[in-house]
């Protein structure tokens, strides 16, 4: 039997407040996940995975060219280990592109159950045209599964209302309850009861009948009460079709997340690369970072402050950077030595409040917090001596 390696705390690379509970783990995610299974079972609210896509590329920081079956077996094993870590209302979001998405979907269905599949997000990862290819591939996918879709639905957040949505709330009658928008006062007659068919008499005496095939939303008694309470709008001149006033102050105004995520809203690979380059102007470019805004949208939907977020393919550290700025707890796992060259300094400048890019301004991040660093097998990497400064 293979012995589970226990992550070793490394003070040298840990930073800031020690009691934060945040973890960066240097090592293969299979081993790291093994070691987490004991203490984190059922506790992780959101898992984000951005694995190598198996696109045949050799990037500066890692290779992305496994034999298809081996790639699929490897990721399936990891999904199996991740599943028990999810909380009952937890969700897992997996980035992938065209070449393996369909195989990954079938594998993930088997692990998480088809009924727990929520959706496929299409992310516009580039906005420029690639003329050298037959098709200029402008999108990637994010497969989303819930541990339990009903529980996830109850706990997931709406996205903040846009200025455009808020601007629909106005106050043409100077109502002391503040801005409102109006919705139709009649509904389909299909399931109506008799008491919903009558004529409304407006305050100016005008009679309104429901249109053909429709009935009023309330019965006559309730409608008269609502008119008295100034909750029904008859237009500026009092002659309009009756509509129901909905007040901004009484609503949780938010929008249901859609499945098409545009680069202009959540960033592109290019904007993410520029961001990483702005933090490390002299280091080799990390080729496949995700934009902070993309991860923020996922965490906005799937988590609240204090929830645990896990990323088992951390790369340049986008997930932990965003989770930190959004005051989520996090576990980030990365086996490449770029965890030292990119992730550690990125996190440290966030904790020091020195980094002013990505979502920093949007969330009002000023610095603070910390993380603990752990490793599993540093002796195995070539650069071990340089990084750990041992002889
Ligand atoms: C596509 S990149 C992730 C990029 C990341 N989302 C970002 O924004 O920077 C995939 C990363 O997974 C890492 N990786 C691949 N296999 C791994 C494994 N078995 N354990 C831990 N990390 C792994 C690679 O070294 C690479 O940094």
């Amino acid at each position: 039997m293979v012995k589970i390696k226990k992550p070793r705390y490394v003070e040298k690379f840990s930073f800031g407040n020690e009691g934060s509970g945040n973890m960066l783990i240097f090592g293969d995610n299979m081993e790291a996940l093994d070691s987490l299974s004991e203490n984190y079972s059922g506790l992780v609210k959101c898992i984000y995975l951005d694995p190598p896509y198996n696109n045949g590329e050799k990037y500066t920081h890692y290779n992305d060219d496994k034999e298809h079956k081996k790639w699929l077996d490897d990721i399936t094993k990891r999904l199996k280990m991740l599943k028990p870590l999810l909380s009952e209302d937890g969700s897992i979001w997996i980035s992938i592109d065209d070449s393996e998405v369909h195989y990954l979907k079938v594998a993930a269905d088997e692990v998480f159950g088809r009924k727990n599949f929520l959706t496929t997000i299409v992310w516009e990862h580039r906005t420029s045209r690639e003329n050298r290819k037959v098709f200029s591939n402008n999108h990637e996918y994010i497969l989303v599964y819930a541990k339990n879709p009903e529980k996830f639905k109850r706990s997931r957040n709406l996205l903040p209302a846009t200025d455009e949505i808020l601007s629909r709330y106005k106050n043409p009658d100077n109502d002391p309850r503040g801005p409102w928008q109006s919705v139709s006062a009649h509904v389909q007659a299909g399931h109506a009861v008799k008491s919903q068919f009558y004529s409304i008499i407006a305050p100016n005496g005008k009679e309104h009948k429901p249109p053909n095939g429709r009935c009023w939303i309330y019965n006559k008694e309730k409608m008269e009460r609502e008119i008295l309470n100034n909750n029904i709008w008859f237009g500026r001149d009092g002659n309009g079709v009756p509509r129901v006033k909905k007040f901004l102050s009484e609503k949780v105004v938010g929008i249901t997340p859609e499945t098409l995520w545009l680069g202009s809203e959540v960033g592109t690979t290019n904007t993410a690369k520029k961001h990483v380059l702005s933090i490390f102007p002299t280091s080799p470019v990390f080729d496949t970072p995700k934009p902070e805004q993309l991860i923020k949208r996922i965490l906005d939907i799937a988590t609240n402050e204090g929830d645990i977020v896990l990323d088992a393919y951390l790369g340049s550290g986008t997930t932990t950077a965003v989770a930190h700025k959004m005051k989520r707890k996090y576990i980030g796992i990365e086996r490449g030595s770029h965890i030292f060259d990119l992730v550690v300094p990125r996190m440290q400048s966030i904790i020091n409040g020195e980094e002013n890019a990505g979502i920093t301004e949007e969330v009002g991040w000023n610095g603070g917090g910390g993380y603990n660093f752990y490793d599993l097998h540093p002796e195995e990497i070539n650069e071990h001596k340089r990084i750990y400064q041992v002889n």
Side-chain angles (χ1 to χ4, degrees), residues 186-199:
H186 50 73
V187 292
Q188 273 190 9
H191 300 285
V193 291
K194 227 173 150 195
S195 59
Q196 286 174 274
F197 297 90
Y198 55 93
S199 289

Side-chain angles (χ1 to χ4, degrees), residues 27-30 48-53 59 61-64 66 78 272 276 286 288-291 295 311-319 333-336 338 346:
D28 189 277
N29 51 22
M30 276 290 271
Y48 172 68
L49 299 182
D50 183 13
Y53 290 175
Y59 296 117
H61 295 87
Y62 66 98
N63 286 345
D64 202 353
K66 278 190 182 164
R78 284 152 177 90
V276 178
F286 188 79
T288 57
K290 291 293 181 280
I295 306 299
D311 184 335
Y313 298 89
L314 191 55
S316 66
T318 312
T319 305
I333 308 166
E334 173 56 55
R335 73 171 177 200
H338 45 283
R346 182 174 184 175

Side-chain angles (χ1 to χ4, degrees), residues 160-173:
T162 57
D163 288 346
E164 192 271 317
I165 288 178
L166 292 176
S167 72
R168 290 181 206 158
Y169 289 81
K170 299 204 162 64
N171 197 350
D173 58 349

Side-chain angles (χ1 to χ4, degrees), residues 222-362:
K222 176 154 186 199
M223 183 63 83
E224 283 171 358
R225 222 171 31 240
E226 293 298 296
I227 293 171
L228 273 179
N229 290 337
N230 190 23
N231 288 334
I232 306 295
W233 174 242
F234 291 92
R236 282 179 195 275
D237 62 1
N239 286 321
V241 176
R243 292 178 66 81
V244 179
K245 288 163 78 176
K246 295 280 178 194
F247 291 89
L248 183 58
S249 54
E250 289 166 5
K251 282 196 83 173
V252 180
V253 185
I255 47 178
T256 302
E258 290 175 318
T259 51
L260 178 60
W261 293 9
L262 299 178
S264 56
E265 292 167 6
V266 294
T268 60
T269 304
N270 219 8
T271 59
K273 272 191 193 176
K274 282 187 181 148
H275 174 188
V276 178
L277 204 60
S278 74
I279 323 174
F280 306 104
T282 55
S283 301
V285 179
F286 188 79
D287 293 301
T288 57
K290 291 293 181 280
E292 288 199 0
Q293 288 80 0
L294 178 82
I295 306 299
K296 176 177 183 290
R297 181 169 287 186
I298 295 173
L299 299 193
D300 268 336
I301 296 168
T303 66
N304 294 307
E305 275 188 28
D307 286 339
I308 302 177
V309 176
L310 187 151
D311 184 335
Y313 298 89
L314 191 55
S316 66
T318 312
T319 305
T320 50
V322 172
H324 196 100
K325 293 179 195 175
M326 290 177 75
K327 302 192 175 87
R328 274 57 169 169
K329 297 205 174 305
Y330 53 84
I331 302 168
I333 308 166
E334 173 56 55
R335 73 171 177 200
S337 61
H338 45 283
I339 194 169
F340 301 99
D341 304 327
L342 300 177
V343 183
V344 164
R346 182 174 184 175
M347 296 309 297
Q348 292 185 355
S349 70
I350 288 169
I351 291 165
N352 284 337
E354 294 160 356
E355 188 256 28
N356 199 14
I359 62 161
T360 294
E361 206 177 298
E362 194 181 336

Side-chain angles (χ1 to χ4, degrees), residues 40-48 82 85-93 145-147 151-157 298-310 328-331:
Y40 284 89
S41 182
L43 294 183
V44 177
K45 186 74 175 287
C46 176
I47 297 172
Y48 172 68
L82 286 159
L85 301 183
L86 278 178
S87 64
E88 278 306 303
D89 54 357
S91 56
I92 176 162
W93 305 61
Y145 289 82
K147 176 87 169 262
K151 290 194 176 151
F152 178 77
K153 190 174 174 208
R154 282 199 293 274
S155 77
R156 75 98 166 85
N157 299 312
I298 295 173
L299 299 193
D300 268 336
I301 296 168
T303 66
N304 294 307
E305 275 188 28
D307 286 339
I308 302 177
V309 176
L310 187 151
R328 274 57 169 169
K329 297 205 174 305
Y330 53 84
I331 302 168

Side-chain angles (χ1 to χ4, degrees), residues 90-161:
S91 56
I92 176 162
W93 305 61
I94 315 168
S95 278
I96 195 70
D97 75 3
D98 234 13
S99 51
E100 296 283 11
V101 60
H102 306 95
Y103 299 93
L104 180 61
K105 167 73 167 61
V106 175
D109 273 353
E110 273 171 27
V111 177
F112 297 106
R114 268 183 95 164
K115 66 177 187 350
N116 298 323
F117 171 69
L118 293 179
T119 196
T120 306
I121 308 260
V122 173
W123 169 48
E124 185 190 24
H125 79 111
R126 65 179 291 160
T127 48
S128 55
R129 196 182 300 272
E130 168 57 287
N131 285 318
R132 289 168 299 182
K133 301 259 174 83
V134 178
F135 285 98
S136 175
N137 211 312
N138 288 36
H139 66 278
E140 291 187 359
Y141 305 97
I142 305 174
L143 301 178
V144 192
Y145 289 82
K147 176 87 169 262
N148 175 328
E150 274 310 308
K151 290 194 176 151
F152 178 77
K153 190 174 174 208
R154 282 199 293 274
S155 77
R156 75 98 166 85
N157 299 312
L158 296 172
L159 290 171

